[in-house]
Amino acid sequence: MADHQVHHQLDDDDVDDAFRAVLDGLRTTLPGVEVLFAFLLTAPLAAGWADLATNEKVAYYVAFFSSAIATILLIAPSAHQRLRAPKSGVKRHSHSHLVFTVRMTIAGTGVFAVAIASAVYLVTAIILQNAAAAALTASIAGLVAWAWFWVPLVYFEKI
């Protein structure tokens, strides 16, 4: 219902502006995802990889695959734009594509949060005891949940 109501409120220029805003936001998110993914690509090649405990390797795989999925989902809107708009600069008029793009971006952001938490656990588990690593990871996950999701969805709704 909400999507249907928004559709009537947005004209073609508004849809194009909203797409542009999503793509601009992704320009700040993607470098973080790419740096984490690049780090994770090299981790198995580092000395000591074979010495990792099973839980550390599991954390690595969760971080690695989550960052790969986040990369795919967060790059997709830019790929869509390149495929849909020829070099002539055709505007994006599809409201349903905008809704899909926003949902994909939110999903990619959520999966990126999982990748960050898993990478934090991996690094802290190597340095500290597992209980401390779990506590610090929970703190980071809580901070991400608060800053990325609670603030925009709950706090700003109250203002």
Side-chain angles (χ1 to χ4, degrees), residues 16-150:
D16 192 59
D17 290 344
F19 258 105
R20 192 167 283 117
V22 170
L23 294 176
D24 284 346
L26 289 172
R27 285 188 189 105
T28 61
T29 305
L30 276 170
V33 176
E34 292 167 339
V35 167
L36 178 59
F37 188 59
F39 162 75
L40 292 167
L41 283 171
T42 63
L45 304 174
W49 172 256
D51 298 333
L52 291 181
T54 301
N55 64 316
E56 294 164 350
K57 287 183 180 179
V58 168
Y60 168 80
Y61 288 118
V62 170
F64 179 71
F65 286 108
S66 295
S67 65
I69 292 167
T71 300
I72 292 165
L73 293 175
L74 294 172
I75 288 175
S78 297
H80 293 179
Q81 174 55 21
R82 285 189 299 276
L83 291 170
R84 289 178 54 94
K87 292 182 181 183
S88 63
V90 172
K91 290 186 176 184
R92 301 150 286 229
H93 295 294
S94 171
H95 178 267
S96 60
H97 189 216
L98 173 61
V99 170
F100 182 80
T101 296
V102 169
R103 289 179 180 163
M104 186 176 296
T105 302
I106 292 168
T109 302
V111 177
F112 184 37
V114 171
I116 289 172
S118 301
V120 166
Y121 178 81
L122 171 62
V123 171
T124 54
I126 291 169
I127 299 168
L128 304 172
Q129 298 296 321
N130 287 335
L136 290 169
T137 302
S139 297
I140 292 295
L143 180 60
V144 168
W146 175 79
W148 290 4
F149 299 100
W150 187 86

